[in-house]
């Protein structure tokens, strides 16, 4: 469904993405691993249209969508949960969710306000709280809830568990499993590479803006040395 070809992205003079070819097929969970600063977030930001690549292409169902604005990319059915969360701090939990609501590209409304409430009971107890009054874990849940309200075909989660307490982290992985089970494709970036491999069908390792290892997640789990060398773990 979403594919990149030879993506090259710069920040000023720094060449960050160095020809990234990646495939995000429909209904498939894909992990993106790599040490700090290797370009994972830059890849996502380029894919979503926040950053314009110097060369290369982003394709959606075979159509060239390179350079499309983020809002237009989102309307292709991509839900993005950015690193550092993307909620509106001055709006209530309910407002944050309701303003994000829309049908999916195929017209489906699988993810309703009620279903998001059922998925995140903690949010349902805090509907009138402002975004800034939430704990870190609750903000992350709200961010995921907002993305689900758009009924995406693909969910991108960039470090969704970062800085959260173990119980909240477990809760987020439970929701990631639920999202996967409903047939939504996912792109998951997380520091916990074992968890990523357990929750995905395929995975890629990025080093200095290049994919240097890719394959089935089960296959990669069986080669811990290759991973350790690339991830520095
Ligand atoms: N807005 C920016 N301007 C200039 N350089 C940037 C900017 N954002 C990131 N970089 C640099 O680009 C490189 C890739 O950063 P990026 O955030 O894509 O890495 P990452 O793999 O997501 O890392 P992390 O695991 O720490 O989130 C890093 O060297 C970073 O310092
Ligand atoms: Mg990052």
């Amino acid at each position: 469904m979403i594919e990149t070809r030879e993506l090259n992205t710069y920040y000023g003079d720094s060449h960050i993405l160095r020809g990234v070819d990646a495939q995000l097929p429909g209904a498939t969970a894909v992990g993106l691993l790599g040490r700090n600063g290797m370009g994972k977030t830059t890849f996502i930001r380029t894919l979503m249209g926040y950053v314009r690549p110097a060369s290369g292409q982003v394709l959606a169902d075979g159509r060239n969508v390179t350079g499309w604005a983020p809002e237009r990319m989102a309307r292709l059915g991509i839900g993005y949960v950015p690193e550092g969360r993307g909620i509106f701090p001055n709006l209530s939990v309910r407002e944050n969710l309701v303003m994000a609501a829309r049908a999916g590209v195929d017209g489906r409304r699988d993810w309703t306000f009620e279903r998001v409430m059922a998925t995140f009971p903690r949010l349902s107890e805090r509907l009138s709280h402002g975004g800034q009054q939430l704990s870190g874990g609750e903000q992350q849940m709200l961010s995921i809830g907002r993305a689900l309200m758009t009924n995406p075909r693909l969910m991108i989660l960039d470090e969704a568990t970062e800085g959260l307490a173990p119980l909240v982290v477990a809760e987020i992985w439970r929701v990631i499993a639920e999202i996967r089970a409903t047939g939504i494709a996912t792109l998951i970036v997380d520091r916990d590479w074992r968890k990523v491999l357990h929750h995905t069908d395929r995975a890629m390792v990025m080093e200095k803006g290049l994919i240097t290892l890719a394959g089935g997640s089960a296959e990669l789990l069986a080669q811990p040395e290759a991973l350790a060398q690339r991830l520095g773990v």
Side-chain angles (χ1 to χ4, degrees):
M1 163 192 164
I2 302 284
E3 194 181 340
T4 68
R5 294 211 187 130
E6 277 292 311
L7 267 194
N8 281 277
T9 298
Y10 290 76
Y11 286 128
D13 291 336
S14 312
H15 193 178
I16 309 293
L17 298 188
R18 299 168 173 268
V20 177
D21 290 307
Q23 281 90 38
L24 304 173
T28 304
V30 177
L32 177 57
L33 303 170
R35 284 178 293 161
N36 291 133
M38 290 298 174
K40 304 179 299 293
T41 299
T42 304
F43 170 69
I44 292 167
R45 290 177 57 81
T46 307
L47 184 80
M48 284 304 292
Y50 290 95
V51 182
R52 198 176 262 277
S55 63
Q57 292 188 328
V58 179
L59 304 173
D61 302 323
R63 174 179 182 195
N64 188 355
V65 297
T66 318
W68 281 26
E71 176 54 24
R72 218 171 152 203
M73 290 302 294
R75 290 198 178 270
L76 287 172
I78 308 178
Y80 174 35
V81 179
E83 201 176 15
R85 296 150 205 151
I87 61 168
F88 293 96
N90 299 318
L91 298 183
S92 70
V93 168
R94 183 191 296 276
E95 287 164 340
N96 264 282
L97 291 170
V98 167
M99 73 179 287
R102 65 167 173 242
V105 282
D106 49 8
R108 296 211 319 205
R109 287 188 183 267
D110 290 346
W111 286 90
T112 58
F113 181 76
E114 290 71 31
R115 181 153 177 205
V116 170
M117 288 299 97
T119 304
F120 297 107
R122 284 170 65 149
L123 290 183
S124 64
E125 293 157 15
R126 289 164 180 77
L127 281 177
S128 56
H129 285 49
Q132 85 276 25
Q133 293 172 285
L134 301 176
S135 71
E138 290 159 358
Q139 287 183 30
Q140 192 63 59
M141 290 174 195
L142 181 55
S143 184
I144 296 172
R146 273 181 58 82
L148 286 171
M149 290 292 286
T150 68
N151 284 285
R153 291 190 285 171
L154 167 68
M155 277 279 279
I156 300 179
L157 295 139
D158 192 358
E159 313 268 11
T161 68
E162 194 180 11
L164 303 181
L167 271 177
V168 183
V169 169
E171 173 84 354
I172 303 270
W173 283 113
R174 178 187 65 72
V175 172
I176 288 173
E178 184 180 335
I179 293 168
R180 184 186 184 193
T182 61
I184 299 174
T186 50
L187 176 65
I188 302 171
V189 176
D190 197 276
R191 258 152 245 269
D192 188 340
W193 60 272
R194 282 179 201 280
K195 271 275 190 292
V196 170
L197 293 177
H198 277 297
H199 283 269
T200 52
D201 304 298
R202 304 189 54 75
M204 330 180 258
V205 179
M206 184 174 278
E207 291 182 283
K208 297 187 179 156
L210 268 178
I211 304 293
T212 58
L213 183 68
S217 299
E219 229 169 274
L220 293 175
L221 259 181
Q223 340 174 11
E225 325 76 46
L227 284 172
Q229 187 199 344
R230 288 174 174 80
L231 301 175
V233 289

